[in-house]
Amino acid sequence: MSEDVSLKSMPKIKFPNHFLWGAATSAEQCEGRGQTGKGLTKWDLHFQSDPNQFFEKVGPEITSDFARRYVQDIALWAQIGIKAVRLSFSWARLFPDDQKPSQSAVKFYHDVLDELAEHKIKALMTLSHFDLPAWAVQVGGWSNSKVRAAFLNYASLIFREYDAKTEAFATFCEPIVETICGYMGQKCHWPLAENYQLAFNVGNGLILLHAQTVSLFKSRPRHAKIGVVLNLSPVYPRRRDHAGDRKAARAYETLHNRWMLEGMVAGKIGQPIRKLFAKLGARLELTSQNLQTIAQVKCDYLGVNYYFPTRVREPVRAKSKSGLSTLFETWKKPSARYNKSRGWEIYPRGIYRVMMRISREFPGLPFYISENGMGVANENLFRDKSGKIADFYRIDFLKSHLVWIQKALAQGAPCFGFTLWSIFDCWSWLNAYKNRYGLIEIDLPTQTRRLKQSAFWYQKIIKEGGFDV
Ligand code: BGP
């Protein structure tokens, strides 16, 4: 029986009563500079140095202007009925010059959290979502122990100020993305480097700092939970019976999934990732004391971001300029479905694979789907007669993933919620406002908000705790 047939024959999809329905965004992608005197981030640096790399030359200056419009925004979110929102703090806002905290910024996040509480929306707060302050990235980012010490100082302030108002903290969002995109030749995150030793140090620096931050948090009386948000993608070799493709798939899996999963959840830097970097000429520079700190990490929960599966094959050329491209090549399966705006494969079953994997590898570890969604260009083309964006493609996308989430739940996966990406249209790394992900449309010139069809659909699901397929 094909996947489609089995899904069609399913009855009403029901979720547990306590399931946390929510949505997400991040500081750099929605706040804008605001009025609290924010310091520069790596995105400001990037934009100042080459605005042409950003879609329609739109940088991070204003974005969705949440810093000034949060009261109305949160009221609108409450109207949809979300029970939780996943946001992030901005380090560059709370410490504009890295010396002392900005009191107006401290107050700003208190106000945001109070406003959420007023509407009974739980706050799931990330400490760092791709927005390292500019000064920190200029001295080697997460590989530099001074940056890590300053981050712990920033984390202490957050825990002291906001623990009582937060449901769950996440140390980082998608740490592997910052590492690979910034330091392994992908050239989409500043400093656009290709330096494997630095990449290994940055990734391991993040793992160490995550462990230190979790332990700092747990050393004090606390209300919230703490964990991390990882992007996980099931990896498929192009040909299952081809040793070269399988080897390439293992290398991809080790680098993209296993490194951070093992490092941040299991507390180790395993042999496969050490060997992979050794092939790239990089060695482990952590001390045995660092490794002990990492080994002690204990997350209360895990956030899982899932957007697409990854298909991998043996590299066609064994030798190339980039060491990394000799280990694997990704490829696009011609018969698969794609989101043409973003180029990502649409494979709802992948979310189930990831959920079952986490349940198997980390039995009893609660997790939630912290991001999943669909970014579409030119949504203006989909307006209905009333002018509302009738984003049925997004509803279909979300529905098909929720069906597989429910299937994993029915098989015992300890998944406690879903915060779709994103609550409203927000700025994206390099793509700026090209692809819109929101349940709420933002008209940029006027900054007016309007609910899309998907917002009404989500409102109904939350109310009814499920939907018909
Ligand atoms: C995730 C990031 C988000 C968001 C999302 C969509 O990796 O955590 O910040 O941007 O991807 O991706 P994009 O904005 O690149 O289309």
Side-chain angles (χ1 to χ4, degrees):
M1 192 166 18
S2 82
E3 267 167 27
D4 278 356
V5 174
S6 71
L7 294 185
K8 271 182 197 145
S9 61
M10 274 186 166
K12 188 171 166 100
I13 305 294
K14 261 280 181 201
F15 285 79
N17 290 340
H18 56 267
F19 198 69
L20 206 53
W21 294 102
T25 183
S26 84
E28 190 81 352
Q29 294 178 270
C30 77
E31 288 180 359
R33 190 155 300 283
Q35 289 154 331
T36 71
K38 187 183 173 200
L40 298 182
T41 67
K42 70 177 190 184
W43 296 98
D44 293 309
L45 270 190
H46 195 160
F47 186 69
Q48 283 166 8
S49 98
D50 190 359
N52 290 316
Q53 280 204 21
F54 294 74
F55 183 72
E56 291 179 343
K57 293 194 198 167
V58 175
E61 186 64 24
I62 301 171
T63 65
S64 304
D65 204 23
F66 177 71
R68 287 190 297 197
R69 296 170 192 265
Y70 65 92
V71 173
Q72 299 93 305
D73 278 331
I74 292 171
L76 199 54
W77 303 352
Q79 206 178 306
I80 298 173
I82 57 166
K83 309 278 180 227
V85 68
R86 182 176 154 248
L87 303 174
S88 67
F89 296 105
S90 162
W91 184 3
R93 182 182 300 287
L94 280 166
F95 285 84
D97 59 2
D98 185 44
Q99 299 303 317
K100 31 179 206 343
S102 145
Q103 288 314 316
S104 56
V106 170
K107 180 176 179 307
F108 165 68
Y109 287 114
H110 272 297
D111 292 346
V112 168
L113 292 169
D114 290 344
E115 205 60 33
L116 291 172
E118 189 71 24
H119 290 282
K120 299 198 170 38
I121 298 175
K122 292 184 170 154
L124 308 167
M125 302 298 295
T126 306
L127 271 60
S128 180
H129 190 134
F130 299 172
D131 57 352
L132 200 58
W135 70 265
V137 78
Q138 280 164 321
V139 297
W142 306 109
S143 69
N144 185 322
S145 58
K146 284 198 185 114
V147 171
R148 297 200 296 267
F151 182 85
L152 288 172
N153 187 38
Y154 159 67
S156 307
L157 172 105
I158 287 177
F159 298 153
R160 204 168 54 237
E161 292 286 338
Y162 308 116
D163 174 51
K165 299 179 180 182
T166 300
E167 182 71 12
F169 290 112
T171 51
F172 299 105
C173 174
E174 301 194 352
I176 194 63
V177 169
E178 277 195 274
T179 308
I180 294 179
C181 294
Y183 300 90
M184 296 188 83
Q186 301 238 329
K187 312 239 161 129
C188 41
H189 278 230
W190 202 259
L192 315 178
E194 184 165 12
N195 176 333
Y196 298 127
Q197 184 62 61
L198 191 51
F200 201 28
N201 293 351
V202 164
N204 290 334
L206 278 157
I207 290 170
L208 174 61
L209 184 52
H210 162 74
Q212 290 169 325
T213 310
V214 170
S215 131
L216 171 74
F217 183 61
K218 294 197 169 180
S219 66
R220 58 188 297 290
R222 63 204 174 97
H223 157 264
K225 304 235 178 307
I226 193 160
V228 65
V229 169
L230 300 180
N231 52 312
L232 299 172
S233 175
V235 184
Y236 299 94
R238 177 175 183 178
R239 295 154 293 186
R240 278 169 205 271
D241 57 354
H242 188 280
D245 286 354
R246 287 204 309 270
K247 190 173 165 206
R250 275 197 303 277
Y252 188 95
E253 153 66 22
T254 298
L255 180 65
H256 285 258
N257 294 329
R258 186 152 291 287
W259 185 14
M260 292 299 149
L261 204 48
E262 278 191 350
M264 294 195 169
V265 186
K268 63 176 188 189
I269 312 287
Q271 284 309 317
I273 193 66
R274 294 185 195 210
K275 285 187 188 149
L276 184 143
F277 271 99
K279 279 190 197 151
L280 299 172
R283 62 198 163 76
L284 188 72
E285 292 187 344
L286 292 174
T287 64
S288 55
Q289 206 188 340
N290 293 157
L291 292 172
Q292 271 174 29
T293 306
I294 290 171
Q296 280 156 14
V297 76
K298 199 167 178 335
C299 290
D300 297 324
Y301 76 93
L302 177 66
V304 174
N305 291 358
Y306 171 78
Y307 287 93
F308 53 83
T310 310
R311 304 193 185 271
V312 175
R313 67 180 173 198
E314 182 178 43
V316 177
R317 278 171 309 230
K319 278 216 162 79
S320 86
K321 274 197 216 138
S322 150
L324 194 58
S325 61
T326 62
L327 299 180
F328 52 74
E329 242 177 51
T330 55
W331 76 290
K332 291 198 166 187
K333 186 176 168 180
S335 59
R337 277 195 305 140
Y338 291 89
N339 167 4
K340 292 197 181 70
S341 303
R342 192 62 179 82
W344 287 344
E345 183 178 335
I346 300 177
Y347 187 61
R349 192 192 181 121
I351 205 163
Y352 167 83
R353 290 282 306 264
V354 168
M355 292 172 74
M356 295 317 285
R357 173 194 180 165
I358 298 298
S359 311
R360 210 172 39 244
E361 286 186 22
F362 303 100
L365 178 71
F367 65 88
Y368 79 109
I369 302 299
S370 36
E371 280 184 40
N372 174 244
M374 188 182 193
V376 172
N378 302 317
E379 285 201 304
N380 260 324
L381 301 174
F382 301 98
R383 290 192 192 281
D384 63 16
K385 279 190 193 130
S386 73
K388 163 166 78 341
I389 291 174
D391 52 346
F392 289 103
Y393 41 86
R394 177 166 296 108
I395 294 175
D396 285 349
F397 180 98
L398 293 168
K399 248 185 170 177
S400 60
H401 285 79
L402 283 166
V403 165
W404 283 103
I405 291 175
Q406 197 269 349
K407 210 170 174 146
L409 276 167
Q411 289 176 28
C415 173
F416 61 85
F418 179 74
T419 53
L420 61 80
W421 189 270
S422 59
I423 182 65
F424 54 14
D425 288 342
C426 59
W427 184 83
S428 166
W429 331 102
L430 301 190
N431 278 331
Y433 280 89
K434 173 179 173 284
N435 302 317
R436 304 299 186 98
Y437 282 87
L439 295 177
I440 300 169
E441 175 197 358
I442 297 188
D443 174 59
L444 290 179
T446 58
Q447 285 285 347
T448 44
R449 275 69 168 144
R450 182 168 192 176
L451 300 187
K452 300 182 193 175
Q453 187 71 47
S454 55
F456 295 101
W457 167 81
Y458 203 45
Q459 185 180 47
K460 189 159 183 280
I461 287 203
I462 298 172
K463 218 172 182 177
E464 295 178 0
F467 56 92
D468 278 317
V469 185

Short mmCIF file of all heavy atoms in Angstrom, two decimals, residues 16-63:
data_model
loop_
_atom_site.label_atom_id
_atom_site.label_comp_id
_atom_site.label_asym_id
_atom_site.label_seq_id
_atom_site.Cartn_x
_atom_site.Cartn_y
_atom_site.Cartn_z
N PRO A 16 -3.25 14.72 21.71
CA PRO A 16 -3.54 14.71 23.15
C PRO A 16 -4.04 16.07 23.63
O PRO A 16 -3.65 17.11 23.08
CB PRO A 16 -2.18 14.40 23.79
CG PRO A 16 -1.33 13.88 22.69
CD PRO A 16 -1.87 14.39 21.40
N ASN A 17 -4.85 16.07 24.67
CA ASN A 17 -5.42 17.33 25.19
C ASN A 17 -4.36 18.35 25.58
O ASN A 17 -4.54 19.54 25.39
CB ASN A 17 -6.29 17.06 26.41
CG ASN A 17 -7.55 16.34 25.99
OD1 ASN A 17 -7.94 16.38 24.81
ND2 ASN A 17 -8.18 15.65 26.94
N HIS A 18 -3.27 17.87 26.16
CA HIS A 18 -2.24 18.79 26.66
C HIS A 18 -1.24 19.20 25.57
O HIS A 18 -0.27 19.88 25.85
CB HIS A 18 -1.50 18.14 27.83
CG HIS A 18 -0.92 16.81 27.44
ND1 HIS A 18 -1.59 15.64 27.64
CD2 HIS A 18 0.23 16.49 26.81
CE1 HIS A 18 -0.85 14.63 27.17
NE2 HIS A 18 0.25 15.14 26.66
N PHE A 19 -1.44 18.75 24.33
CA PHE A 19 -0.47 19.04 23.26
C PHE A 19 -0.28 20.55 23.12
O PHE A 19 -1.24 21.32 23.08
CB PHE A 19 -0.97 18.44 21.94
CG PHE A 19 0.09 18.29 20.89
CD1 PHE A 19 1.11 17.37 21.04
CD2 PHE A 19 0.06 19.08 19.74
CE1 PHE A 19 2.09 17.22 20.06
CE2 PHE A 19 1.04 18.94 18.76
CZ PHE A 19 2.04 18.01 18.92
N LEU A 20 0.98 20.97 23.07
CA LEU A 20 1.28 22.40 23.04
C LEU A 20 1.31 22.90 21.60
O LEU A 20 2.27 22.71 20.87
CB LEU A 20 2.67 22.60 23.70
CG LEU A 20 3.00 23.92 24.34
CD1 LEU A 20 1.95 24.34 25.35
CD2 LEU A 20 4.38 23.82 25.01
N TRP A 21 0.22 23.55 21.21
CA TRP A 21 0.14 24.09 19.85
C TRP A 21 0.73 25.48 19.83
O TRP A 21 0.31 26.34 20.60
CB TRP A 21 -1.32 24.18 19.39
CG TRP A 21 -2.00 22.86 19.24
CD1 TRP A 21 -2.87 22.29 20.10
CD2 TRP A 21 -1.87 21.96 18.13
NE1 TRP A 21 -3.30 21.07 19.60
CE2 TRP A 21 -2.70 20.85 18.39
CE3 TRP A 21 -1.13 21.98 16.93
CZ2 TRP A 21 -2.81 19.77 17.51
CZ3 TRP A 21 -1.25 20.90 16.06
CH2 TRP A 21 -2.07 19.82 16.35
N GLY A 22 1.67 25.70 18.94
CA GLY A 22 2.29 27.02 18.93
C GLY A 22 2.89 27.39 17.60
O GLY A 22 2.61 26.78 16.57
N ALA A 23 3.70 28.42 17.63
CA ALA A 23 4.37 28.90 16.43
C ALA A 23 5.66 29.58 16.85
O ALA A 23 5.84 29.90 18.03
CB ALA A 23 3.46 29.86 15.68
N ALA A 24 6.55 29.80 15.88
CA ALA A 24 7.89 30.29 16.23
C ALA A 24 8.33 31.45 15.36
O ALA A 24 7.80 31.67 14.27
CB ALA A 24 8.89 29.14 16.09
N THR A 25 9.33 32.16 15.86
CA THR A 25 10.11 33.11 15.07
C THR A 25 11.38 33.38 15.87
O THR A 25 11.60 32.72 16.90
CB THR A 25 9.33 34.41 14.75
OG1 THR A 25 10.15 35.25 13.92
CG2 THR A 25 8.95 35.19 16.00
N SER A 26 12.22 34.29 15.41
CA SER A 26 13.44 34.57 16.19
C SER A 26 13.73 36.06 16.21
O SER A 26 13.24 36.81 15.35
CB SER A 26 14.64 33.81 15.63
OG SER A 26 15.23 34.52 14.56
N ALA A 27 14.54 36.48 17.18
CA ALA A 27 14.79 37.91 17.41
C ALA A 27 15.26 38.63 16.14
O ALA A 27 14.65 39.61 15.72
CB ALA A 27 15.83 38.06 18.52
N GLU A 28 16.36 38.14 15.55
CA GLU A 28 16.93 38.85 14.40
C GLU A 28 15.95 38.91 13.23
O GLU A 28 15.96 39.83 12.43
CB GLU A 28 18.22 38.14 13.97
CG GLU A 28 19.05 38.90 12.95
CD GLU A 28 19.93 39.99 13.58
OE1 GLU A 28 19.78 40.27 14.78
OE2 GLU A 28 20.75 40.56 12.84
N GLN A 29 15.06 37.91 13.17
CA GLN A 29 14.17 37.80 12.02
C GLN A 29 12.89 38.63 12.15
O GLN A 29 12.17 38.79 11.18
CB GLN A 29 13.84 36.33 11.77
CG GLN A 29 15.07 35.54 11.36
CD GLN A 29 14.78 34.07 11.14
OE1 GLN A 29 14.87 33.28 12.07
NE2 GLN A 29 14.42 33.69 9.94
N CYS A 30 12.62 39.11 13.37
CA CYS A 30 11.36 39.85 13.48
C CYS A 30 11.45 41.16 14.25
O CYS A 30 10.64 42.05 14.03
CB CYS A 30 10.28 38.96 14.12
SG CYS A 30 10.43 38.77 15.90
N GLU A 31 12.41 41.29 15.15
CA GLU A 31 12.36 42.46 16.06
C GLU A 31 12.63 43.80 15.37
O GLU A 31 11.99 44.80 15.68
CB GLU A 31 13.40 42.30 17.19
CG GLU A 31 13.02 41.26 18.22
CD GLU A 31 14.07 41.13 19.31
OE1 GLU A 31 15.12 41.83 19.25
OE2 GLU A 31 13.88 40.32 20.22
N GLY A 32 13.61 43.84 14.48
CA GLY A 32 14.10 45.12 13.97
C GLY A 32 14.93 45.79 15.06
O GLY A 32 15.00 45.30 16.20
N ARG A 33 15.55 46.89 14.72
CA ARG A 33 16.44 47.53 15.70
C ARG A 33 15.67 48.04 16.92
O ARG A 33 16.15 47.99 18.04
CB ARG A 33 17.21 48.67 15.02
CG ARG A 33 18.32 49.25 15.83
CD ARG A 33 19.39 49.88 14.97
NE ARG A 33 19.99 48.90 14.07
CZ ARG A 33 20.89 47.99 14.43
NH1 ARG A 33 21.29 47.92 15.67
NH2 ARG A 33 21.38 47.14 13.56
N GLY A 34 14.45 48.54 16.70
CA GLY A 34 13.64 48.99 17.84
C GLY A 34 14.23 50.22 18.50
O GLY A 34 14.98 50.98 17.88
N GLN A 35 13.90 50.36 19.78
CA GLN A 35 14.29 51.61 20.44
C GLN A 35 15.22 51.43 21.63
O GLN A 35 15.40 52.33 22.42
CB GLN A 35 13.02 52.34 20.90
CG GLN A 35 12.25 52.90 19.72
CD GLN A 35 10.78 53.04 20.00
OE1 GLN A 35 10.21 52.30 20.81
NE2 GLN A 35 10.13 53.99 19.34
N THR A 36 15.78 50.23 21.78
CA THR A 36 16.58 50.02 22.99
C THR A 36 18.08 50.10 22.75
O THR A 36 18.87 49.68 23.60
CB THR A 36 16.25 48.66 23.66
OG1 THR A 36 16.77 47.62 22.83
CG2 THR A 36 14.76 48.47 23.87
N GLY A 37 18.50 50.56 21.60
CA GLY A 37 19.94 50.71 21.37
C GLY A 37 20.65 49.39 21.21
O GLY A 37 21.56 49.06 21.98
N LYS A 38 20.23 48.64 20.21
CA LYS A 38 20.81 47.31 19.97
C LYS A 38 22.20 47.39 19.34
O LYS A 38 22.44 48.25 18.48
CB LYS A 38 19.84 46.59 19.02
CG LYS A 38 20.14 45.15 18.77
CD LYS A 38 19.15 44.57 17.75
CE LYS A 38 19.57 43.16 17.38
NZ LYS A 38 19.00 42.71 16.12
N GLY A 39 23.11 46.50 19.75
CA GLY A 39 24.43 46.43 19.12
C GLY A 39 24.37 45.73 17.78
O GLY A 39 23.33 45.16 17.41
N LEU A 40 25.49 45.73 17.05
CA LEU A 40 25.49 45.09 15.73
C LEU A 40 25.63 43.58 15.85
O LEU A 40 26.30 43.07 16.76
CB LEU A 40 26.65 45.61 14.89
CG LEU A 40 26.64 47.11 14.56
CD1 LEU A 40 27.84 47.45 13.67
CD2 LEU A 40 25.34 47.52 13.86
N THR A 41 25.00 42.87 14.92
CA THR A 41 25.13 41.41 14.89
C THR A 41 25.94 41.01 13.66
O THR A 41 26.27 41.86 12.82
CB THR A 41 23.76 40.72 14.78
OG1 THR A 41 23.22 41.03 13.49
CG2 THR A 41 22.81 41.18 15.87
N LYS A 42 26.17 39.71 13.52
CA LYS A 42 26.93 39.26 12.35
C LYS A 42 26.17 39.56 11.06
O LYS A 42 26.76 39.73 10.01
CB LYS A 42 27.28 37.78 12.47
CG LYS A 42 26.14 36.81 12.33
CD LYS A 42 26.66 35.35 12.39
CE LYS A 42 25.58 34.37 12.02
NZ LYS A 42 25.97 32.97 12.13
N TRP A 43 24.83 39.69 11.15
CA TRP A 43 24.04 40.00 9.96
C TRP A 43 24.20 41.45 9.56
O TRP A 43 24.21 41.78 8.37
CB TRP A 43 22.57 39.61 10.16
CG TRP A 43 22.50 38.13 10.33
CD1 TRP A 43 22.42 37.46 11.51
CD2 TRP A 43 22.63 37.15 9.31
NE1 TRP A 43 22.47 36.10 11.28
CE2 TRP A 43 22.60 35.88 9.93
CE3 TRP A 43 22.78 37.20 7.92
CZ2 TRP A 43 22.71 34.68 9.21
CZ3 TRP A 43 22.88 36.00 7.20
CH2 TRP A 43 22.85 34.77 7.85
N ASP A 44 24.36 42.34 10.54
CA ASP A 44 24.63 43.74 10.21
C ASP A 44 25.96 43.84 9.48
O ASP A 44 26.09 44.53 8.48
CB ASP A 44 24.66 44.60 11.49
CG ASP A 44 23.30 44.68 12.16
OD1 ASP A 44 22.33 44.99 11.46
OD2 ASP A 44 23.21 44.41 13.37
N LEU A 45 26.95 43.11 10.00
CA LEU A 45 28.28 43.12 9.37
C LEU A 45 28.20 42.64 7.93
O LEU A 45 28.74 43.25 7.01
CB LEU A 45 29.19 42.11 10.08
CG LEU A 45 30.03 42.51 11.25
CD1 LEU A 45 30.99 41.38 11.59
CD2 LEU A 45 30.82 43.77 10.94
N HIS A 46 27.51 41.53 7.78
CA HIS A 46 27.36 40.90 6.46
C HIS A 46 26.66 41.85 5.50
O HIS A 46 27.10 42.05 4.37
CB HIS A 46 26.54 39.62 6.66
CG HIS A 46 26.57 38.66 5.52
ND1 HIS A 46 26.25 37.34 5.68
CD2 HIS A 46 26.85 38.81 4.22
CE1 HIS A 46 26.35 36.73 4.51
NE2 HIS A 46 26.70 37.60 3.61
N PHE A 47 25.59 42.46 5.99
CA PHE A 47 24.80 43.34 5.14
C PHE A 47 25.60 44.59 4.76
O PHE A 47 25.58 45.03 3.61
CB PHE A 47 23.49 43.73 5.85
CG PHE A 47 22.57 44.51 4.98
CD1 PHE A 47 21.93 43.92 3.89
CD2 PHE A 47 22.34 45.86 5.22
CE1 PHE A 47 21.08 44.65 3.07
CE2 PHE A 47 21.49 46.59 4.40
CZ PHE A 47 20.86 45.99 3.33
N GLN A 48 26.31 45.12 5.76
CA GLN A 48 27.12 46.32 5.46
C GLN A 48 28.19 46.00 4.42
O GLN A 48 28.51 46.81 3.56
CB GLN A 48 27.81 46.82 6.73
CG GLN A 48 26.88 47.58 7.66
CD GLN A 48 27.47 47.77 9.06
OE1 GLN A 48 28.63 47.48 9.32
NE2 GLN A 48 26.65 48.26 9.98
N SER A 49 28.73 44.79 4.50
CA SER A 49 29.84 44.49 3.59
C SER A 49 29.36 44.11 2.19
O SER A 49 30.03 44.37 1.22
CB SER A 49 30.72 43.40 4.19
OG SER A 49 30.40 42.17 3.65
N ASP A 50 28.16 43.50 2.08
CA ASP A 50 27.70 43.10 0.74
C ASP A 50 26.18 43.01 0.68
O ASP A 50 25.60 41.91 0.66
CB ASP A 50 28.34 41.75 0.37
CG ASP A 50 28.10 41.41 -1.09
OD1 ASP A 50 27.43 42.20 -1.79
OD2 ASP A 50 28.57 40.35 -1.53
N PRO A 51 25.50 44.15 0.60
CA PRO A 51 24.02 44.13 0.59
C PRO A 51 23.44 43.37 -0.59
O PRO A 51 22.33 42.86 -0.53
CB PRO A 51 23.64 45.61 0.53
CG PRO A 51 24.88 46.36 0.22
CD PRO A 51 26.06 45.51 0.57
N ASN A 52 24.24 43.24 -1.66
CA ASN A 52 23.72 42.53 -2.85
C ASN A 52 23.44 41.06 -2.59
O ASN A 52 22.72 40.43 -3.35
CB ASN A 52 24.72 42.63 -4.00
CG ASN A 52 24.78 44.05 -4.51
OD1 ASN A 52 23.74 44.68 -4.70
ND2 ASN A 52 25.98 44.55 -4.71
N GLN A 53 24.03 40.54 -1.55
CA GLN A 53 23.77 39.12 -1.27
C GLN A 53 22.38 38.89 -0.69
O GLN A 53 21.94 37.76 -0.56
CB GLN A 53 24.81 38.60 -0.28
CG GLN A 53 26.11 38.28 -0.95
CD GLN A 53 26.90 37.26 -0.15
OE1 GLN A 53 26.34 36.53 0.66
NE2 GLN A 53 28.18 37.22 -0.37
N PHE A 54 21.72 39.97 -0.30
CA PHE A 54 20.41 39.83 0.35
C PHE A 54 19.30 40.14 -0.65
O PHE A 54 19.40 41.12 -1.39
CB PHE A 54 20.32 40.80 1.55
CG PHE A 54 21.28 40.44 2.66
CD1 PHE A 54 22.64 40.68 2.54
CD2 PHE A 54 20.81 39.84 3.82
CE1 PHE A 54 23.53 40.33 3.56
CE2 PHE A 54 21.68 39.48 4.84
CZ PHE A 54 23.05 39.73 4.71
N PHE A 55 18.26 39.32 -0.64
CA PHE A 55 17.17 39.47 -1.60
C PHE A 55 16.62 40.90 -1.56
O PHE A 55 16.26 41.41 -0.50
CB PHE A 55 16.06 38.45 -1.30
CG PHE A 55 14.93 38.49 -2.29
CD1 PHE A 55 15.10 38.00 -3.57
CD2 PHE A 55 13.70 39.02 -1.94
CE1 PHE A 55 14.06 38.03 -4.49
CE2 PHE A 55 12.65 39.06 -2.84
CZ PHE A 55 12.83 38.57 -4.13
N GLU A 56 16.60 41.52 -2.70
CA GLU A 56 16.14 42.90 -2.87
C GLU A 56 16.85 43.87 -1.92
O GLU A 56 16.29 44.88 -1.50
CB GLU A 56 14.62 43.00 -2.73
CG GLU A 56 13.93 42.33 -3.91
CD GLU A 56 12.41 42.35 -3.84
OE1 GLU A 56 11.87 42.59 -2.75
OE2 GLU A 56 11.78 42.11 -4.87
N LYS A 57 18.06 43.49 -1.53
CA LYS A 57 18.90 44.33 -0.65
C LYS A 57 18.18 44.71 0.64
O LYS A 57 18.30 45.86 1.12
CB LYS A 57 19.36 45.59 -1.38
CG LYS A 57 20.32 45.32 -2.53
CD LYS A 57 20.96 46.61 -2.94
CE LYS A 57 21.55 46.45 -4.33
NZ LYS A 57 21.93 47.71 -4.92
N VAL A 58 17.41 43.79 1.17
CA VAL A 58 16.72 44.07 2.44
C VAL A 58 17.54 43.45 3.58
O VAL A 58 17.75 42.24 3.61
CB VAL A 58 15.28 43.51 2.43
CG1 VAL A 58 14.62 43.69 3.80
CG2 VAL A 58 14.45 44.20 1.36
N GLY A 59 17.99 44.29 4.47
CA GLY A 59 18.80 43.84 5.60
C GLY A 59 17.99 43.68 6.87
O GLY A 59 16.75 43.77 6.85
N PRO A 60 18.69 43.47 8.01
CA PRO A 60 17.99 43.16 9.27
C PRO A 60 17.53 44.38 10.07
O PRO A 60 17.15 44.23 11.23
CB PRO A 60 19.05 42.38 10.04
CG PRO A 60 20.34 42.91 9.54
CD PRO A 60 20.14 43.35 8.13
N GLU A 61 17.56 45.57 9.50
CA GLU A 61 17.31 46.80 10.25
C GLU A 61 15.89 46.90 10.83
O GLU A 61 15.69 47.20 11.99
CB GLU A 61 17.59 47.99 9.31
CG GLU A 61 17.53 49.35 9.97
CD GLU A 61 18.59 49.58 11.04
OE1 GLU A 61 19.64 48.92 11.01
OE2 GLU A 61 18.33 50.42 11.92
N ILE A 62 14.90 46.62 10.00
CA ILE A 62 13.51 46.81 10.44
C ILE A 62 12.77 45.49 10.60
O ILE A 62 12.03 45.27 11.54
CB ILE A 62 12.74 47.72 9.45
CG1 ILE A 62 13.44 49.08 9.34
CG2 ILE A 62 11.29 47.91 9.91
CD1 ILE A 62 12.90 49.97 8.24
N THR A 63 12.99 44.62 9.67
CA THR A 63 12.30 43.31 9.59
C THR A 63 10.80 43.47 9.87
O THR A 63 10.15 44.30 9.25
CB THR A 63 12.98 42.24 10.49
OG1 THR A 63 12.85 42.61 11.85
CG2 THR A 63 14.43 42.05 10.12
#
